[in-house]
Amino acid sequence: MATKHVKEMEALKEHLGKHQLKLTRQRELILSAFLRQEHITAEAMYHQLAKSDPHLGLATIYRTLNLFCDAGLAQARHFGSQTKYDNVSHKGHHDHLICTGCEKIVEFENEEIERLQEEVATRHGFTIKTHRLELYGLCTRCRD
Amino acid sequence: MATKHVKEMEALKEHLGKHQLKLTRQRELILSAFLRQEHITAEAMYHQLAKSDPHLGLATIYRTLNLFCDAGLAQARHFGSQTKYDNVSHKGHHDHLICTGCEKIVEFENEEIERLQEEVATRHGFTIKTHRLELYGLCTRCRD
DNA sequence: ATTGAAATTGATAAACTGTCTCAAAATTAT
DNA sequence: ATAATTTTGAGACAGTTTATCAATTTCAAT
């Protein structure tokens, strides 16, 4: 268990050291749980961890997930009214095909599109940190 | 004034008719003001309209902008803690480069990306009605 | 034009998400 | 172990959006 995610743990420790922050039981716990996810909200993580750690506060989850963002381990993304924290080590799969009929969501990735996005950004002097691509339409079943 | 935006007005009326909703003074007013914008928040629209119509309620703005989304005239976009409503009639300019430093928004269009989106959708059996592409990062100034 | 059923509005309460506060507890360097 | 500093948990708080509901407006049918 402690032997999984060693690389991310090291990255966190390095960030903590650089900013005179401390390594706590909660930060280890939340990192370990976070790395098992592809993307998750603070609220969802709160409920999930409540089973094993009923006294872990919601504020701590928020603080820690934001810390992970600073450390480059996570990326915040606004989806609906909530913020989802993406696990950066699971690259790709950020893009969605969404059926407006049955609300089904299909994840996809397209390298060519990603490349063109970089190109557009560079042309405008931007450095992309993250992106969102959502295609709305009808799936095969809902079209009939 | 009433001769501007006739097409959008018709689109709204069609949507209202289909859903047994009514055309009200407020809906006309808000549509007219909305179509002058490229994208705006409910709060900003509230303050803007307060000058000419001090008794227009904030809830009505929210309800109406969400109605425009249902009618396909607007598209909601969550940014930071607020929701921005994009004017869909500014066609071909749906895609945004957004600076997370200064919140500057650059609009762009890329035919090749659009083509690839269609391709991805077709491969999954989807028929695209609309889409959203947002690239988040830092602009030249904010990177320094 | 009047009527009446149904939808809409405005004002405000409430809900929701995320941050702030602060005393108590945990961590780290000495 | 001690002391200085950071972190935590619990709840208060703030900002944004939605729900409530009586009063008003719309619209179709007289």
Side-chain angles (χ1 to χ4, degrees):
Chain A
M1 183 195 230
T3 61
K4 277 266 172 180
H5 315 308
V6 179
K7 199 182 63 188
E8 287 81 6
M9 192 62 212
E10 286 309 312
L12 175 61
K13 281 183 184 169
E14 187 184 326
H15 178 85
L16 295 175
K18 274 187 189 162
H19 297 78
Q20 53 214 76
L21 303 174
K22 294 174 176 175
L23 180 62
T24 64
R25 190 180 61 79
Q26 289 88 340
R27 283 172 179 169
E28 285 189 280
L29 200 94
I30 295 172
L31 178 61
S32 160
F34 175 68
L35 291 174
R36 271 182 242 123
Q37 313 294 324
E38 186 137 337
H39 42 67
I40 192 167
T41 64
E43 191 75 30
M45 177 153 278
Y46 179 61
H47 285 115
Q48 184 177 306
L49 290 175
K51 295 168 195 162
S52 52
D53 232 273
H55 289 295
L56 223 172
L58 181 55
T60 299
I61 308 266
Y62 274 107
R63 282 187 291 233
T64 306
L65 287 173
N66 287 331
L67 169 69
F68 293 170
C69 288
D70 294 342
L73 294 165
Q75 237 172 35
R77 198 159 46 89
H78 298 283
F79 193 83
S81 61
Q82 291 198 291
T83 301
K84 286 197 171 159
Y85 293 85
D86 292 345
N87 180 344
V88 165
S89 72
H90 287 225
K91 270 273 185 288
H93 298 292
H94 285 156
D95 301 337
H96 299 103
L97 259 166
I98 301 171
C99 178
T100 52
C102 61
E103 307 217 338
K104 180 170 65 179
I105 297 180
V106 176
E107 302 207 336
F108 71 91
E109 198 191 349
N110 187 298
E111 294 226 355
E112 184 68 3
I113 292 180
E114 310 261 322
R115 200 183 56 67
L116 288 165
Q117 286 175 2
E118 281 294 342
E119 196 178 302
V120 169
T122 305
R123 196 181 309 143
H124 288 86
F126 274 66
T127 307
I128 297 185
K129 275 202 319 216
T130 178
H131 75 266
R132 154 192 288 168
L133 172 55
E134 289 158 18
L135 308 179
Y136 297 92
L138 293 174
C139 69
T140 321
R141 272 210 336 221
C142 291
R143 199 176 326 124
D144 313 327
Chain B
M1 184 195 234
T3 61
K4 277 267 171 177
H5 316 307
V6 179
K7 199 183 62 189
E8 288 81 8
M9 192 63 212
E10 285 311 312
L12 176 61
K13 281 182 184 167
E14 188 184 327
H15 178 84
L16 295 175
K18 273 185 188 163
H19 297 79
Q20 54 212 80
L21 304 173
K22 293 173 178 176
L23 180 62
T24 63
R25 188 180 62 79
Q26 289 88 338
R27 284 173 178 169
E28 285 189 280
L29 200 92
I30 295 172
L31 179 60
S32 161
F34 175 68
L35 291 174
R36 270 182 241 121
Q37 313 294 325
E38 191 133 336
H39 42 69
I40 192 167
T41 64
E43 191 75 28
M45 177 153 277
Y46 178 61
H47 285 115
Q48 184 177 309
L49 289 175
K51 296 168 195 163
S52 53
D53 232 272
H55 290 295
L56 223 171
L58 181 56
T60 300
I61 309 265
Y62 274 106
R63 282 187 291 235
T64 306
L65 287 173
N66 287 332
L67 169 69
F68 293 170
C69 289
D70 294 342
L73 294 164
Q75 221 174 43
R77 193 160 44 86
H78 300 279
F79 188 80
S81 60
Q82 290 200 292
T83 301
K84 287 194 171 159
Y85 293 86
D86 292 346
N87 181 346
V88 166
S89 76
H90 287 227
K91 267 269 190 292
H93 295 278
H94 283 158
D95 300 338
H96 298 104
L97 259 166
I98 301 171
C99 177
T100 53
C102 63
E103 307 216 341
K104 181 169 68 180
I105 298 179
V106 176
E107 307 210 330
F108 71 89
E109 197 188 352
N110 187 300
E111 295 227 352
E112 185 68 2
I113 292 180
E114 312 261 323
R115 199 183 56 68
L116 287 165
Q117 286 175 2
E118 281 295 341
E119 197 178 302
V120 169
T122 304
R123 196 180 310 142
H124 288 86
F126 274 67
T127 308
I128 296 185
K129 274 202 321 215
T130 175
H131 75 266
R132 148 191 294 164
L133 171 56
E134 290 156 20
L135 308 180
Y136 297 92
L138 294 174
C139 69
T140 320
R141 270 209 338 221
C142 290
R143 197 174 329 121
D144 313 327

